[in-house]
Structure formats: structure tokens, C-alpha cells
Amino acid sequence: MHQGVAGCGRYPYPLQYQLIEVFARQQGVDEDQVQVFCGSKLALQNAVHAFTGPRSLVVPEPSYETPAQTAEARGAKVHSVPLNAQQAHDVEAMLAVDPKPGLIYLCNPNNPTGSVTPAADIERLLRKAPADSVVVVDEAYIHFSDVPSCIPLVKTHANLLVLRTFSKLYGMAGARVGLAVGQPPLLEALEKFDGYNVAAEPSLRGALASLEDASLVARRKQDNQQLRDATVARLSRAGWRCTASQANCFMVDVRRPAEAIVAALKEQQVLVGRVWPSWPTWIRVSVGDEAQMRRFEDAFFRVLV
Amino acid sequence: MEGLSRRRLVGLSAALPLLGQVSWAAPAAAAAAPGPAPVRLNYNESPFGPSAAA
């Protein structure tokens, strides 16, 4: 990444093509089925711009808010469908809410709950969804989980778009690199809003090095799982209900207005995530390192005596 | 300012440079001791940053 700073005087398209080539080879897809964006958020926003407007957006609730916010800004109808009892996407309800949506958004594992939706459910949704309704599967947190990726399904589903990011397990949130995987017509629709832009050279070099670091995913997945599950186990033993997370975040039901608990934790110098209005008594906690999780637990039990 | 006499205003004006000196000359020890840096568990970032290879 340091080496990339010297190259910032040029548009680094060759490196972007190299990143696409490496990712496509690793994932077993064609290079024209992969595009790079300055963060997967941008690919997601472009998808909402491209496929909603006259037609609606279907989202799970609670979930990552960006697609709904973007659709609302365009005046598109947004259908929010609550997660089911297993905290997975309720795919039947998502299909039923609108027979001809423009875009159906799935996030697997889901942000903010960290909960996962079985692959069979996603495949069923893909089979049943109208062929001209685009299905976006946001796999920002997939590396932390045991669920299979939907990328292999891109070959057989022309309406499937899978999103990946370097912001989570790869630790490059500030470098802004994301990928969209889909058949060329879908990617071309996104590019109408992105103009075949290019990411910064330090970011592209960091992304390439991350893909070529053969042990990184397994090592960080294990560390995250160990810290997350230990924290969740201690909270659960103390009587606090947590989501069944396979991501680098989880939610805790604090059984009172969560905004006040977020503020109280902040006074203890512990910043936790925002509150989702549909789950007003739950806080979202990102998984940090061991010392950070210890400070979170200390503050949590001080605040919630 | 309407409640202040001219003498009082003059007195305040004379004190202003002193106030400035007091403020700027305050010993470092008088500042509040910095607490621990906040723990940021609010944006699902990795605590480990980019791969060492990056």
C-alpha cells in the first residue's frame, strides 16, 4: 500500500484489471463478471439507482440501511420484511410482498444481527423471483461465516448480483474497495452511474495483497469467532439475549431503550453501533480485539447492573 | 453592556490581556488528564487493519 502512494499521479487501471483477474480466477468466474468499486456501498447504491424507481425495493428488517435510504431518496417504494424467528431472511414473505419488485436485497450474514440465511432459502428465492427482478446478495461478512457464497450461482442466474468488500475481514474500511459479481449486462447497468471509475492505487495494492495472503481469511475468521463467541457466552450466562451471529458483530437485547445504553456506554469510552428503530431495545456490538472486548464487557456490566 | 459603568468597562479592558496570559500560561499539569482512548466497536471494522503483506 505504501508503494502505491508514489503511483497516485496516475489512474491505476492496470492494477484494477489485475485485481479483477486474481479475484475471478480464485472464484471461478469470468473476468467480465467482476467489477471494482470504491467500496461495495457504491455498487449497492448504483444497483438501487439502476433497478428501482418505478419499481420497488424489498429489504429485510433489520438490515443494512443503505439500499432503503437510497431508494427512498429516489422516491421508490420500499417494502421492509421482518426477519423470521430464526433471524434469517423470510424469503417467502419477501417474495410475496411485491410480485414485480425492481430489486430484492439480501445480506448474508446479515448486518446488524450477524445471523445467516440458509443457502437453500436463497436458492429458492432465486428460483421464484421474477427473471427481471434483480437480487442483490451482500456478502460483506461472508468470510466470518460458514455459509456458502452465492458467487457460483451468478453463472446460472442473470438477475443475481453478489457484493464483496475489503472493509471487514480484510481490515481496509478506510481504503474503500469493493467488488460486484454478476453477468455483464448487470454490471454495465451499474457502470451507467459509476462511469468505469477506478479505485486508488494504495487501495488496489492492499486488496491484491489481501487476496494473495493465503492464510489471512482462516486466521482472522478463527480469531473473530473465538472473541465473539466468548463475549456472547459471558453475556448469555448473565441472562442477556444475543443474536446467533456468524459475523464480526452481534446484537444484545438490553431490555430497555437502547439509545440510552449506547449513550451510557459512550460515557464509559466504549462506542457501540447505532440502534435500528424496528429493534429499539437491541444494541449492535462490533467484535474488536481481546482488550477491546474486555473493556466492552466491563462497561456493559457497569452500565447494566 | 448597558448595565456596566464606564469605570467597570475600563477595568475589564485592562484585565483582558492578563486573562489571555493566564489562559495561555496555564501549566500543563492543570489540564485534565487524558483518559483511555475510546473503544470503537461501532462500525464493524477490523481491529487488525490491512494484511501485513499489504
Side-chain angles (χ1 to χ4, degrees), chain B:
Chain B
M1 299 298 280
E2 59 191 300
L4 292 176
S5 67
R6 185 172 178 277
R7 178 182 288 182
R8 179 84 174 123
L9 277 171
V10 169
L12 278 173
S13 301
L16 280 174
L18 289 175
L19 283 172
Q21 282 176 29
V22 168
S23 172
W24 285 105
V39 176
R40 290 172 51 169
L41 304 176
N42 50 343
Y43 288 121
N44 292 354
E45 301 146 326
S46 165
F48 305 110
S51 157

Side-chain angles (χ1 to χ4, degrees), chain A residues 1 141 213 220 269 271 284 286, chain B residues 37 39 41-42 44 49 51 54:
Chain A
M1 291 179 82
Y141 302 94
D213 186 340
R220 288 192 170 180
Q269 299 295 301
L271 310 180
R284 188 191 71 176
S286 306
Chain B
V39 176
L41 304 176
N42 50 343
N44 292 354
S51 157

